[in-house]
Amino acid sequence: MGIRITGTGLFHPEHVITNEELVESLNAYVEKFNQENAEKIAAGEIEARRGSSAEFIEKASGVKARYVVEKEGVLDPNRLRPNLAERSDDEISLQAEWGVIASKQAMENAGVTAEDIDVVILACSNMQRAYPAVAIEIQTALGIQGYAYDMNVACSAATFGLKQAYDAIKSGARRVLLVNVEITSGHTDYRSRDCHFIFGDVATASIIEDTDSKTGFEILDTQLFTQFSNNIRNNFGFLNPSETTNADDKRFRQDGRKVFKEVCPLVAKMITKQLEKNQIEPTNVKRFWLHQANASMNELILKLVVGKAAAEADPDLVPIILDEFANTSSAGVIIALHRTADQVNDGEYGVLCSFGAGYSVGSILVQKRVA
């Protein structure tokens, strides 16, 4: 027997925003802002806003487009955020709705029903509400008994969630449903040249169970690490109404250069030590499913782990999905696994590694097992 990921699911909304569309919206906002604040800008009281280009976005990140929950509101220069209808408490929440769709697909792919699952974990960066837990809403909508809870380790939430699922099964649970629903449009600052292009909206789900009769990815080792940093931050929270503060910090913000410089070697070192611990040569890993934040970050991490020659010899070692999806926070590693799982053969190794605010890093070593 071995604890395996036996099924995954993926859902994304129908609305797509290209880099060109996003830039057109940003530049219209920038022109209006700078005109309306020309005197203050000239006096040095505030800084002029900067426009962008589709070429800059793709070069800086590798992102070409993203799926979004709602398109018109995001692209409206006078709004620059999704325009969503509020739902009553008697209706299923948007986050739970997406989670249910992805979960049903994962359950079908794993060949399990609601009666087979004991635990539901919603692990993501962006929770629709504080309580009751959205995981419990997903659990109830699917008809699952047992227990459910929400957890947040930012972009590392999926790998941290896999560790919690692994531990739950070790403690007696039969199967765990791990759900990652990232509706990132709600926390993206679409006024900012530096981060308006980064994120996309999506939902993923995974079934984790102890089995020797199903094809899946057996979890061989789990490594988690956290270290506090302000370089990626969002101050939105329940104390905000009691504070007299600037609302600009209540959305995603980061110092991208510092994140790149500090996180890449940290992640590479962690993966390398994990492989050494398990006596596996980096060049014997078939796929590295890395967090889908930035193509250049993943390229550097791969070179640090396997060496420049090996990395350049096989560019498919790190599947990239962020060109289509952008950064989907915790869900990115699961999307990459979902899209490329069939590229790994029986007995071959893979690494799921996500990293983000905290800093947090989660690395899961797996081996493909074919029933």
Side-chain angles (χ1 to χ4, degrees), residues 164-369:
Q164 306 316 306
Y166 181 91
D167 290 346
I169 293 172
K170 282 286 189 180
S171 299
R174 295 171 301 162
R175 293 170 187 84
V176 177
L177 169 62
L178 174 65
V179 189
N180 316 105
V181 184
E182 296 288 10
I183 307 177
T184 62
S185 294
H187 84 155
T188 300
D189 189 349
Y190 290 103
R191 305 165 303 167
S192 168
R193 174 184 185 269
D194 293 330
C195 64
H196 75 125
F197 60 86
I198 294 176
F199 294 102
D201 300 332
V202 78
T204 60
S206 309
I207 297 293
I208 302 93
E209 58 182 312
D210 194 357
T211 178
D212 61 2
S213 61
K214 290 184 180 180
T215 294
F217 289 91
E218 183 173 345
I219 297 174
L220 303 181
D221 188 67
T222 61
Q223 299 287 324
L224 307 180
F225 174 82
T226 54
Q227 172 186 305
F228 187 75
S229 170
N230 277 321
N231 289 330
I232 310 173
R233 191 168 179 121
N234 184 334
N235 286 333
F236 181 79
F238 71 94
L239 288 179
N240 295 157
S242 303
E243 301 170 337
T244 304
T245 58
N246 188 330
D248 284 352
D249 71 344
K250 306 304 184 292
R251 287 182 271 192
F252 169 86
R253 55 192 172 95
Q254 73 168 355
D255 186 328
R257 290 182 177 85
K258 286 185 178 180
V259 171
F260 190 100
K261 181 179 179 180
E262 296 172 3
V263 170
C264 289
L266 176 64
V267 172
K269 182 178 179 180
M270 187 163 169
I271 294 174
T272 299
K273 285 189 173 183
Q274 184 178 42
L275 294 177
E276 289 176 351
K277 171 188 170 184
N278 290 275
Q279 298 181 333
I280 298 171
E281 290 293 327
T283 51
N284 287 335
V285 177
K286 184 65 175 290
R287 291 291 179 267
F288 291 88
W289 296 292
L290 302 183
H291 172 46
Q292 301 290 309
N294 181 289
S296 296
M297 289 185 75
N298 288 0
E299 180 181 345
L300 176 56
I301 291 168
L302 183 65
K303 289 180 179 179
L304 292 173
V305 173
V306 304
K308 183 177 180 180
E312 293 179 348
D314 186 1
D316 292 332
L317 279 171
V318 175
I320 295 295
I321 54 88
L322 63 82
D323 54 342
E324 175 186 352
F325 288 87
N327 182 343
T328 51
S329 193
S330 69
V333 291
I334 305 299
I335 300 173
L337 172 66
H338 180 82
R339 285 282 184 89
T340 64
D342 60 352
Q343 297 174 6
V344 182
N345 300 315
D346 188 23
E348 293 182 326
Y349 298 103
V351 172
L352 293 107
C353 185
S354 53
F355 38 90
Y359 292 134
S360 58
V361 184
S363 186
I364 312 293
L365 174 65
V366 299
Q367 186 175 29
K368 182 74 169 285
R369 297 293 191 186

